[in-house]
């Protein structure tokens, strides 16, 4: 189906004349990897101009070329053709001068985890040549800005994910740069730390006049930028202020509600309407985008209310057009396998009572109790270091509990962990398949691991390749797959043996919105077929897909209930309709957890 979106062209750079300097200028830049046999065109004629003294967002799906472009701007790669001017300097001929004038924080910043916070700062001050006389004042400023002053003697390896990101940023800023490049600094970071990182970035721009180019996978962050550059497959789709991208969707975005029933069933109904381009769960309603000049369809017991468009709406419409023309569509969710076939919500399939896990005197999980019904989508949310991963590992039978009762699929994990593991599927946060094996070889390996042989194995592999649209990559090593296809392969491998329970640990981190939608379509279909889903995520909008969820902090449960129940806990007269992220931040930062939050025995 063809849905035409308007072309977005770069906007005039208001406030700057042709003679005034830009922080970054690229002109028809190309960069290819892989030689002549299997070339990958990472950057395909990018021309952009980045204004100084503001935050500019570099937005695009995984594999769009964001990291390659940043490394070119930093002088760490050389373009095949085209020109790059950074802070008035030619990157080709003045790479060292450019590098001494900018700060670059890559996705995996090189902290030394066996050194303390202070020792990391000292090391980067030495590497950046910061005079000793200037260090005390700069350290004090950075530690106050990042909130790390109380932790200078803590090893970097013992910091939470959000604190590590803030330390990495402080190390990047030891010598104040004129230009700061941040490559997805908030991926995998929970909402409280994400908000704190943004406050630091705004403060740098306001206090030091710094120019910031920031890439991100969180589309709500694009709306915080003064200017946005939208890239896809190494090309610029458009550049302008965030509102510029959404104007063509005025009067086309709606909140859709029904009186009874699950939101995911309403989403499926709305998506099936020919007038609808996109439908996602958004709080207590389904957010729908209609085709141009199309009225809302009439559906029994359903009401439609107009909404203002947001950046993600425009991003998805433009990306859908690219996906439609350039890549095959995902097989419909109806082609997924039936699971155990037992009635939904017949009985608890996971039961946890007073679960505790100690590492020496440190209490990672403290007296946890909850249950999950068959066919339920259950979310496990929390700040970095809250105990989610430890709980996950115990539920999967990979880590023994220190005390408490834990039952999965009707089996006590103290005595029957191996039998329980045979009835669950697990998809880890990090890509855990064998990168030197092809897609088909990985599927064969996991099929054998789960005891599938002969015709049964062949049928399941054929199902996986067909259902997850992996045929174009059947013989491609999984290590070089696009991230979205890595995620598809990992999920297919976890489902090879038709598990009753599926554990998903941060499964959509870094994945573009189109793949995230396809992923949740599959999850919803599995839940309707009786598969129990337990998921952790830092995307608060994904928490809305859960039937129930718990929010953890310091190893204990802060709140439990439906998404509506959780949001209600943060409702005030000033904020009568809080989003899930608002509720999460309110609970984690303001709600006491009493004795359950004790960290040491």
């Amino acid at each position: 189906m063809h849905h035409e979106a308007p072309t977005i062209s770069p906007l005039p750079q208001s406030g700057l004349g042709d003679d005034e300097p830009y922080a970054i200028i690229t002109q028809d830049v190309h960069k290819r990897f892989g030689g002549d046999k299997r070339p990958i065109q990472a950057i395909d004629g990018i021309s952009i101009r980045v204004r100084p003294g503001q935050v500019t967002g570099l937005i695009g799906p995984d594999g769009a070329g964001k990291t390659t472009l940043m490394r070119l701007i930093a002088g760490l790669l050389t373009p095949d053709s085209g020109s790059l001017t950074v802070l008035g300097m030619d990157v080709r001929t003045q790479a060292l001068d450019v590098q001494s004038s900018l700060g670059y924080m890559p996705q995996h910043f090189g902290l030394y985890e066996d050194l303390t916070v202070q020792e990391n700062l000292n090391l980067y001050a030495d590497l950046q040549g910061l005079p000793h006389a200037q260090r005390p004042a700069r350290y004090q400023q950075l530690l106050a800005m990042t909130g790390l002053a109380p932790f200078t003697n803590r090893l970097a390896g013992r910091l939470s994910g959000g604190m590590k990101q803030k330390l990495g940023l402080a190390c990047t800023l030891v010598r104040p740069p004129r230009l700061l490049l941040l490559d997805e600094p908030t991926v995998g970071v929970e909402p409280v730390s994400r908000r704190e990182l943004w406050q630091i970035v705004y403060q740098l721009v306001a206090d030091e006049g710094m120019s910031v180019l920031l890439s991100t996978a969180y589309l709500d962050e694009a709306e915080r930028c003064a200017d946005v550059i939208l890239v896809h497959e190494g090309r610029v789709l458009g550049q302008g202020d965030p509102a510029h991208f959404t104007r063509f969707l005025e009067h086309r975005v709606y909140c859709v509600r029904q009186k009874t029933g699950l939101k995911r069933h309403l989403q499926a109904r709305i998506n099936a309407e020919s007038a609808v381009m996109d439908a996602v769960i958004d709080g207590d309603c389904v957010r729908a985008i209609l085709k141009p000049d199309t009225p809302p369809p009439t559906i029994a017991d359903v009401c439609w209310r107009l909404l203002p468009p947001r950046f993600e709406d425009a991003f998805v419409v433009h990306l859908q057009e690219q996906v439609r023309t350039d890549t095959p569509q995902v097989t419909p969710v109806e082609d997924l396998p039936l699971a155990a076939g037992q009635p939904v919500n017949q009985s608890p399939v996971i039961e946890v009572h007073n679960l505790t896990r100690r590492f020496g005197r440190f209490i990672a999980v403290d007296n946890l109790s909850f249950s999950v019904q068959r066919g339920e989508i259950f979310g496990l949310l929390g700040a970095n270091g809250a105990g989610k991963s430890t709980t996950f590992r115990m539920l999967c039978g990979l880590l023994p509990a220190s005390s408490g009762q834990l039952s999965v699929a009707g089996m006590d994990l103290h005595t029957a962990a191996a039998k329980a593991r045979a009835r669950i599927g697990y998809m880890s946060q990090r890509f855990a398949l064998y990168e030197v094996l092809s897609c088909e070889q990985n599927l064969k390996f996991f099929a054998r691991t789960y005891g599938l042989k002969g015709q049964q194995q062949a049928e399941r592999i054929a199902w996986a390749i067909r259902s997850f649209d992996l045929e174009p990559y059947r013989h491609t090593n999984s290590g070089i797959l696009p991230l979205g296809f890595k995620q598809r392969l990992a999920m297919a491998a976890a489902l090879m043996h038709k598990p009753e329970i599926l554990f998903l640990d941060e499964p959509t981190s870094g994945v573009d919105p189109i793949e995230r939608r396809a992923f949740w379509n599959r999850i919803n279909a599995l839940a309707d077929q009786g598969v129990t889903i337990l998921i952790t995520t830092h995307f608060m909008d994904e928490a809305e897909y859960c039937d129930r969820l718990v929010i953890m902090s310091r190893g204990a449960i802060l709140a439990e209930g439906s998404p509506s129940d959780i949001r209600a806990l943060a409702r005030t007269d000033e904020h009568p309709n809080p989003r899930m992220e608002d509720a999460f931040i309110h609970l984690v930062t303001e709600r006491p957890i009493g004795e359950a939050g004790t960290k040491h025995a």
Side-chain angles (χ1 to χ4, degrees), residues 316-476:
V316 167
V317 170
H318 285 283
L319 202 60
Q320 277 183 339
E321 185 64 16
Q322 299 297 318
V323 170
R324 184 199 62 78
T325 56
D326 297 337
T327 63
Q329 294 298 297
V330 177
T331 303
V333 296
E334 288 77 9
D335 196 34
L336 288 167
L338 289 175
Q342 300 185 35
V344 175
N345 293 332
Q346 184 187 46
S347 61
V349 73
I350 298 174
E351 295 184 272
V352 176
H353 297 288
N354 304 320
L355 183 65
T356 299
R357 174 66 200 193
R358 297 180 179 88
F359 295 94
R361 294 184 63 245
F362 177 75
I363 302 176
V365 175
D366 193 358
N367 207 35
L368 217 62
S369 296
F370 62 86
S371 64
V372 184
Q373 301 296 112
R374 185 174 303 281
E376 190 171 32
I377 302 177
F378 190 87
L380 197 60
L381 277 64
N384 295 105
K388 303 186 305 298
S389 295
T390 301
T391 302
F392 235 56
R393 292 175 66 196
M394 288 189 286
L395 290 169
C396 293
L398 301 174
L399 182 70
S402 300
S403 62
Q405 289 79 49
L406 181 56
S407 171
V408 174
M411 285 172 257
D412 187 338
L413 288 188
H414 287 295
T415 58
K419 290 183 179 179
R421 281 199 296 269
R423 300 173 70 175
I424 67 175
Y426 176 63
M427 184 175 167
S428 65
Q429 180 179 359
R430 301 181 185 277
F431 185 64
L433 303 180
Y434 292 92
E435 297 196 350
V436 297
L437 298 182
S438 69
C439 286
E440 186 174 33
Q441 289 169 335
N442 266 288
L443 292 172
K444 283 183 178 179
F445 174 82
F446 280 88
R448 290 170 184 161
T449 300
Y450 291 127
L452 304 181
K453 300 177 182 178
Q455 184 64 25
Q456 186 184 26
Q457 180 189 113
E459 288 175 356
R460 294 302 294 156
I461 291 173
W463 163 82
I465 290 174
R466 179 181 68 253
S467 296
F468 290 87
D469 211 0
L470 294 171
E471 185 61 43
Y473 297 100
R474 177 192 286 264
H475 302 297
T476 301

Side-chain angles (χ1 to χ4, degrees), residues 473-542:
Y473 297 100
R474 177 192 286 264
H475 302 297
T476 301
N477 282 6
S478 65
I480 61 174
L481 292 175
L483 182 59
F485 280 89
K486 284 184 177 181
Q487 184 228 47
R488 294 187 198 184
L489 177 60
M491 188 174 179
L495 291 170
M496 289 299 288
H497 58 310
K498 298 187 181 181
E500 295 179 37
I501 305 167
L502 186 59
F503 289 92
L504 305 169
D505 190 8
E506 298 283 346
T508 59
S509 183
V511 177
D512 72 67
I514 300 298
E515 283 292 341
R516 286 175 64 198
R517 281 157 169 74
F519 171 85
W520 277 103
N521 284 343
R522 294 187 177 103
I523 293 303
N524 292 341
L526 285 169
D528 284 343
Q529 294 167 7
V531 180
T532 305
I533 312 292
L534 193 71
I535 184 168
T536 70
T537 180
H538 284 317
F539 287 99
M540 292 298 103
D541 58 338
E542 291 190 343

Side-chain angles (χ1 to χ4, degrees), residues 557-588:
I557 292 178
L558 281 178
E560 179 178 359
S562 69
S564 296
D565 296 334
I566 300 298
R567 280 186 272 104
L569 296 173
R571 187 173 295 131
T572 64
D573 292 338
E574 294 78 16
H575 299 286
N577 297 302
R579 298 181 62 80
M580 184 61 73
E581 180 167 316
D582 300 323
F584 180 94
I585 292 172
H586 168 79
L587 290 167
V588 169

Side-chain angles (χ1 to χ4, degrees), residues 179-208:
L179 171 65
L180 179 61
L181 306 178
L182 300 175
D183 192 1
E184 301 202 4
T186 58
V187 163
V189 177
E190 43 79 20
V192 175
S193 294
R194 274 214 295 147
R195 191 167 289 188
E196 290 171 348
L197 281 164
W198 269 96
Q199 290 171 348
I200 294 169
V201 171
Y202 284 141
Q203 186 176 341
L204 291 168
V205 173
D207 295 349
E208 303 186 14

Side-chain angles (χ1 to χ4, degrees), residues 23-24 73 86-87 101-103 177-181 210-213:
I24 302 168
I73 290 168
V86 175
L87 301 172
S101 301
L102 60 76
R178 294 168 57 194
L179 171 65
L180 179 61
L181 306 178
M210 199 173 292
S211 305
V212 179
L213 180 65

